[in-house]
Amino acid sequence: MTKYQAVGIGNAVVDVISQCDDAFLARMGIDKGVMQLIETERAEFLYENMTDRWQAPGGSVANTIAGLGALGLSTGFIGRVSDDELGHFYADAMAEVGTEFVNAPRSDGALPTSRSMIFVSPDGERSMNTYLGVSTELDEGDVPEAVAGQAGLLFLEGYLFDKPKGKAAFERAARAARAGGGRAGITLSDPFCVERHRADFRGLLRELDFVIGNEHEWCALYETEDLGAALEQAAQESGLIVCTRSGHDVVLVEGEETETVPVHRVEPVDTTGAGDQFAAGLLYGLATGQPLAVAGRMGCIAAAEVIGHYGARPETDVKALFAAEGLI
C-alpha cells in the first residue's frame, strides 16, 4: 500500500535570505553565485550582518517535496533538526505546507539546526553560505521503513552522500521503497560532491530508477567533457536519466527513448530553487503517469515560476500553469 506519493530524504536547512549589492559581497568576503560551506563562527557573523532577512524551510530535496505537496501529492520528508528555535520552525513550516515531517526534533545532539544564509544580488544571482549543523548527522535510524516502504516515489539528496552514515541511510531507504513497489531516485546535487564519491554514486545508480543532474554533474560522474557520451553511459547503468542545462533544452533518456524538452527563457528575479522545483514538476509528471516529454515540460514550468520571485518554493498555483499549457 502506498501511503505517500512522494517521500524525500535530505538536509533540513533553514534558508535565511536577504538582498544585497556586489559591494556588500566583496566587503563580507563572499564569493558571488556559489555555495560555500561555513563553520559556526562565520555563520553567526554573516547572520548578524544580514539586513531585512526573512527565513523559510529549505534544503534541496525538501524544496522539491514541498513543491510536490503544493501540487496536491501526499508527501513526507525524512531529515534531522535539533530541538531549538530553528528546528521547531522547520518542522512546523513543513507541516503547514502539507508535508509530514517524519522525524521529531532531536534533543540529544550538540549541533544546532542547519541554516543557509542566502544573499541575493540585483541580477538575481544567489550567494549561499551554508552551515550544515545537525542535518548531516542523519543515519539509518532516521529512516523508518514504514515511511520509505510506503513511498510511490523516493527522492534522495546527493549532498548527504558526504558521510558514510548518509550513504547507509540512502541504501536502506531505497531498498525499502523498491521492495514496497515504489521507484527510488537521486539528485546528484553538486559536481564536487560527485567527484568526491564517484565510485559510490555509480554503484548507487545501478540500484535506482531515476537520476537527475545538470551537465556539469553528469560530466564529472563519468570523467568526460562529452555530455552525450556521459548520458549514454548513464542510461546503461540506471533507469531514467535527466540532464538539465542552465537555460538550454532538458534531455531525458530512458532505455531507447530520448526526449529533448525546450526551455523558454525568463528573466530571473532569484534563481534559488530552480533545480529543486524543476525536480518537483518532473516528479509530479512521473507520479501521475505522464509521458516523459510532458513530465519534462512540467519541470521547466515549475522552475520558471520559482525564479520569478524571491525564495525557493512556489508562490502561485503551478498546477494551474500546467493546465494553461494543456498538460493536465
Side-chain angles (χ1 to χ4, degrees):
M1 185 191 104
T2 300
K3 179 181 177 185
Y4 306 92
Q5 287 166 289
V7 170
I9 302 181
N11 282 314
V13 184
V14 177
D15 286 340
V16 186
I17 306 163
S18 81
Q19 294 167 253
C20 72
D21 56 20
D22 288 357
F24 176 87
L25 295 177
R27 202 162 60 247
M28 292 290 118
I30 297 169
D31 287 343
K32 183 175 178 176
V34 301
M35 194 280 282
Q36 290 182 300
L37 296 179
I38 57 174
E39 298 301 326
T40 311
E41 190 176 326
R42 173 77 170 158
E44 290 172 352
F45 171 75
L46 291 179
Y47 186 80
E48 287 166 7
N49 279 279
M50 295 181 95
T51 55
D52 299 323
R53 57 181 179 244
W54 73 98
Q55 62 192 38
S60 174
V61 163
N63 289 336
T64 298
I65 293 298
L68 286 166
L71 284 163
L73 298 195
S74 55
T75 54
F77 182 71
I78 295 169
R80 189 183 279 206
V81 297
S82 282
D83 184 11
D84 55 22
E85 186 181 343
L86 284 180
H88 286 280
F89 164 78
Y90 193 95
D92 293 345
M94 289 296 279
E96 281 171 17
V97 296
T99 293
E100 183 180 342
F101 189 76
V102 173
N103 311 84
R106 303 277 293 241
S107 56
D108 56 351
L111 292 173
T113 295
S114 311
R115 75 284 312 260
S116 180
M117 271 75 67
I118 302 171
F119 298 89
V120 183
S121 38
D123 57 3
E125 279 284 349
R126 85 264 196 240
S127 308
M128 303 170 70
N129 297 263
T130 303
Y131 170 64
L132 289 176
V134 76
S135 66
T136 57
E137 297 300 307
L138 184 131
D139 59 26
E140 287 182 84
D142 293 305
V143 181
E145 290 212 7
V147 175
Q150 294 183 71
L153 289 173
L154 179 76
F155 193 38
L156 310 169
E157 185 173 310
Y159 284 127
L160 272 174
F161 232 56
D162 262 340
K163 290 197 176 182
K165 49 191 173 185
K167 293 175 194 173
F170 277 7
E171 286 159 6
R172 172 188 169 99
R175 280 194 299 269
R178 298 182 86 185
R183 287 183 286 175
I186 194 169
T187 168
L188 295 177
S189 294
D190 180 90
F192 302 110
C193 192
V194 168
E195 285 169 5
R196 285 194 295 271
H197 307 286
R198 186 176 287 112
D200 287 331
F201 265 122
R202 290 187 57 181
L204 184 65
L205 251 64
R206 298 184 186 99
E207 298 182 37
L208 295 176
D209 304 292
F210 60 92
V211 185
I212 303 172
N214 64 33
E215 56 191 318
H216 307 295
E217 291 153 5
W218 283 116
C219 288
L221 186 62
Y222 291 100
E223 297 181 89
T224 177
E225 292 181 10
D226 183 340
L227 180 62
L231 296 183
E232 189 176 325
Q233 196 166 347
Q236 294 170 7
E237 295 187 352
S238 193
L240 170 61
I241 300 302
V242 183
C243 177
T244 59
R245 301 180 299 154
S246 185
H248 300 284
D249 294 355
V250 174
V251 180
L252 301 97
V253 185
E254 188 168 34
E256 298 300 308
E257 182 184 0
T258 299
E259 294 286 352
T260 302
V261 180
V263 170
H264 307 314
R265 291 189 69 91
V266 296
E267 196 62 39
V269 172
D270 173 15
T271 54
T272 311
D276 306 338
Q277 295 312 318
F278 169 82
L282 175 85
L283 296 182
Y284 177 81
L286 297 183
T288 55
Q290 302 290 344
L292 278 190
V294 173
R297 182 72 198 122
M298 287 176 162
C300 295
I301 292 169
E305 187 280 334
V306 83
I307 66 174
H309 58 76
Y310 289 104
R313 297 186 176 188
E315 289 186 353
T316 56
D317 183 349
V318 177
K319 195 184 278 191
L321 301 179
F322 296 165
E325 286 210 18
L327 301 180
I328 55 174

